[in-house]
Amino acid sequence: MRVSRLLAFLAFLPALALAQTAMSPAAAPGPAAAAVLPRDLSVLGMFLAADWVVQAVMVGLVVASVLTWTVFLAKSLELAAAQRRQTQALAAIDNAPSLDAAPANDLVAAALAERQLSVDNDNDRDGLKERIASRLERLEAATGRRMLKGTGVLATIGATAPFVGLFGTVWGIMNSFIGISKSQTTNLAVVAPGIAEALLATALGLAAAIPAVVIYNHFSRRIAAYRALVGDTSAAVLRLVSRDLGKSGAK
């Protein structure tokens, strides 16, 4: 009898284990089990899985980055061409014997125009030089303003892009915590994809802001150098004016 009872108990053990496994909560499908499924955590995958607000932030930051590099390319070509022309003009004006023999240039044209308007004031040489200097000074300022066009957007992007990216991050993390509350689980697999999508917005914000700041400072130095070159050209024109007035006074 005892042997038969022992055999019956051993035969019952597999059925008991199977029943306990079926009743275990870990075997029941739930949010945590579904969360461990693999997700596409590439940049494109995180963008497509992100909330529409975070997607809008990312698109805006990408557009800002493209705009930054477009301004960099266009302004670099413009500055290079302007500096080359101004260097050539300065060399030609320095070698010119008189204002009339100087090459065509905005500064030379302004000096000739003022001299023509003051043709009846032969005895007002100092006044003529002051008026020409005033014209040249205004042209220098206008040239500097023209070269600065387009660089203001770089300063704006550099100052605001990190905060825009931070807004996208805060919004994405807020959605992640809402997802935690709804899923009733603290499994890291539930939280990680949403946080990664949110942090991608911050990364894009920094990727847009850092080049914008560096490029803006680069252009500030180059434009200052160009304005100094224009100032040298203006001084060369004034020397020609003074030389011509000295010749006419000697006659």
Side-chain angles (χ1 to χ4, degrees):
M1 287 293 293
R2 292 180 179 178
V3 175
S4 61
R5 288 179 182 177
L6 181 59
L7 293 175
F9 177 76
L10 293 176
F12 178 73
L13 284 178
L16 180 61
L18 181 61
Q20 288 179 345
T21 304
M23 295 175 62
S24 176
V36 299
L37 294 176
R39 291 183 59 173
D40 183 9
L41 292 182
S42 64
V43 174
L44 180 59
M46 288 189 290
F47 170 77
L48 295 176
D51 183 79
W52 69 269
V53 175
V54 182
Q55 286 182 343
V57 169
M58 292 180 184
V59 170
L61 292 172
V62 170
V63 171
S65 182
V66 171
L67 183 60
T68 295
W69 291 106
T70 302
V71 171
F72 172 71
L73 180 60
K75 187 59 67 173
S76 295
L77 295 175
E78 181 184 2
L79 268 172
Q83 284 183 328
R84 183 172 59 254
R85 290 194 302 267
Q86 202 65 39
T87 302
Q88 293 172 352
L90 175 59
I93 291 172
D94 266 337
N95 295 325
S98 65
L99 187 63
D100 294 323
N105 183 274
D106 291 342
L107 299 174
V108 173
L112 290 173
E114 183 58 40
R115 191 182 68 177
Q116 182 64 31
L117 292 173
S118 304
V119 67
D120 296 331
N121 301 328
D122 292 336
N123 298 324
D124 190 20
R125 292 184 176 86
D126 292 336
L128 175 60
K129 286 193 289 186
E130 289 179 1
R131 290 190 293 274
I132 291 177
S134 176
R135 279 179 176 255
L136 297 181
E137 182 182 354
R138 291 298 87 206
L139 283 176
E140 289 178 38
T143 300
R145 288 194 299 270
R146 185 174 66 252
M147 282 299 166
L148 283 173
K149 286 182 178 178
T151 60
V153 67
L154 298 176
T156 301
I157 292 173
T160 60
F163 298 102
V164 174
L166 183 60
F167 168 74
T169 298
V170 171
W171 188 275
I173 292 178
M174 181 179 65
N175 286 335
S176 295
F177 282 117
I178 292 174
I180 293 173
S181 177
K182 289 181 178 179
S183 62
Q184 297 295 320
T185 180
T186 58
N187 193 330
L188 186 61
V190 175
V191 187
I195 293 179
E197 295 158 7
L199 292 177
L200 179 61
T202 297
L204 290 176
L206 294 176
I210 293 173
V213 173
V214 173
I215 293 171
Y216 177 79
N217 292 333
H218 168 70
F219 281 142
S220 296
R221 292 189 296 269
R222 289 195 61 184
I223 291 173
Y226 175 73
R227 293 187 65 174
L229 188 60
V230 175
D232 292 342
T233 308
S234 176
V237 172
L238 284 176
R239 286 195 296 270
L240 291 180
V241 172
S242 180
R243 187 179 302 153
D244 290 345
L245 290 176
K247 291 177 181 179
S248 62
K251 293 179 180 179

